Amino acid sequence: MAPRPEEAGGGGGAASAPPRGLGREMAAVLAGGSGRAAREAARRSAVRPPPSGGWGCAPAGKRYLLTEEDIKLQEFQQMKVAIRNELHGNKDQYFKNIKEKLKKNGIILRNELKNLLHLCQNSSDVELARKIIYRYHEQNRIRALHNFKFGPLFMRLCYELDLERPAVELIKDQNLHGFFSDSTSFHILMTMLFKKGHFESALEVLVEMKKQGIPFNKETYLLAVAICYKLGSPESSKISARLLEEAQLKGDTLPLRAYCFAMAAALKQNDVAQAKFYCSQIMRTENKLYNNLKVLVQLRSGLLKEVINTLEAAVEVDTPPFVKRTEFSEQVLATVREKMEESPDLSVKLGDIYTKLQASGQITMCTLEDMLFQIPSSKKTTAKLLNQKQLGCQGTNPLWSNLLLG
């Protein structure tokens, strides 16, 4: 069955699987697949380092994956203020009563846990909340799946206080199985880890989500391929391919950006065939990010005349004054310029096109990575999320074979 991307459409593609060094268990948990497909993909996917002058990672800056609408941090913070006012700011007495109840093995009520999570202000408070969560879950294990979802509340609290360790520990603890029974909890945690540059840990959380049987949705796939893109290794690129193949087989809806991240990841590994396949899935061809990636795919394929045609078409297209024309990244055009030096005639033609692009305001200083992490204009909010401070693409450590152990 073909995938149904929001702004993409498509058919099938060859499966990819990580080589032995990656850790077959993790790959199997994430996407499954036959050993034959794995061997064939490993044979096809021999990679070499990308050429110099290519599109690397952008400098540090804001990076967006999910919106405020997805995280709902502001809504959580507003509720914290409301509950604090409701209790007349008497947090200390509330905590004292909860501790006494815990000591006497009393029943923890739903609203008591809810209030407690909204009153926490530091890591010490979260440690108490952690103890109460274990007690509450023990008392309500049977009806947990049909009860109030506390998982997202705890994750928003950890996100707000920048406490990833307790969040990771609790979501992986088998004693709390069923407490984090929603995709939102995992998404918030992966977002937090992504923001801090802990890409391997974010991937581990994705594995845990799969192990616990939490269904993947379009936000999951977007986060997953973005994490794999930032890991920037041949192995992570193959994981991205396997995840998108899984979505394809299930007929899941995929956002255009998921395909774009996968294209970028494949190009990093110089896997042009895979990048071309993802490019073929995208139907919304007026998209700026798509067109910049398309130029790079054509360039890496050695189709220099097609690159010229794509850029020329963007200049000459007849668009109404109120419709914004396709912009190209100066970074991408610099890469094109370097490659075009191999053909003097095409280099001259590119110079003419560049002048026209500049005159019509179709050149942007945004890097390709800036475009990848930009929230589409169709989103309702431009809330400040994922203010990523780390530089570049972080290399992987030899954790892959151990991700499912311990």
Side-chain angles (χ1 to χ4, degrees), residues 175-322:
N175 293 318
L176 287 177
H177 184 74
F179 188 83
F180 300 100
S181 59
D182 56 282
S183 62
T184 302
S185 296
F186 288 86
H187 291 169
I188 295 171
L189 179 52
M190 283 190 282
T191 299
M192 175 165 55
L193 293 167
F194 189 99
K195 181 181 78 168
K196 296 167 78 71
H198 300 163
F199 305 122
E200 291 223 17
S201 295
L203 192 58
E204 290 183 48
V205 171
L206 182 72
V207 173
E208 186 64 32
M209 183 177 178
K210 188 76 169 181
K211 284 171 63 179
Q212 293 188 24
I214 309 299
F216 284 14
N217 57 30
K218 62 184 180 180
E219 285 81 18
T220 314
Y221 288 113
L222 175 59
L223 283 163
V225 292
I227 290 164
C228 289
Y229 165 79
K230 290 302 290 181
L231 282 167
S233 70
E235 291 86 356
S236 61
S237 181
K238 292 180 180 70
I239 290 173
S240 179
R242 292 296 296 275
L243 287 170
L244 292 185
E245 181 192 20
E246 177 195 76
Q248 181 183 69
L249 293 173
K250 290 164 57 181
D252 285 347
T253 299
L254 292 174
L256 176 146
R257 274 202 306 163
Y259 279 109
C260 288
F261 271 115
M263 282 174 67
L267 285 172
K268 274 188 181 181
Q269 303 308 319
N270 221 11
D271 191 347
V272 179
Q274 191 73 36
K276 286 175 75 173
F277 166 69
Y278 293 134
C279 191
S280 71
Q281 304 301 289
I282 297 173
M283 304 299 289
R284 185 182 165 186
T285 57
E286 76 277 9
N287 179 270
K288 175 175 68 176
L289 176 57
Y290 162 78
N291 277 283
N292 278 265
L293 284 164
K294 178 185 175 182
V295 164
L296 289 175
V297 170
Q298 291 172 337
L299 198 66
R300 293 286 183 88
S301 302
L303 304 173
L304 302 189
K305 288 184 179 179
E306 287 194 21
V307 171
I308 292 294
N309 291 339
T310 299
L311 295 174
E312 204 166 36
V315 171
E316 295 178 353
V317 65
D318 187 20
T319 56
F322 54 85

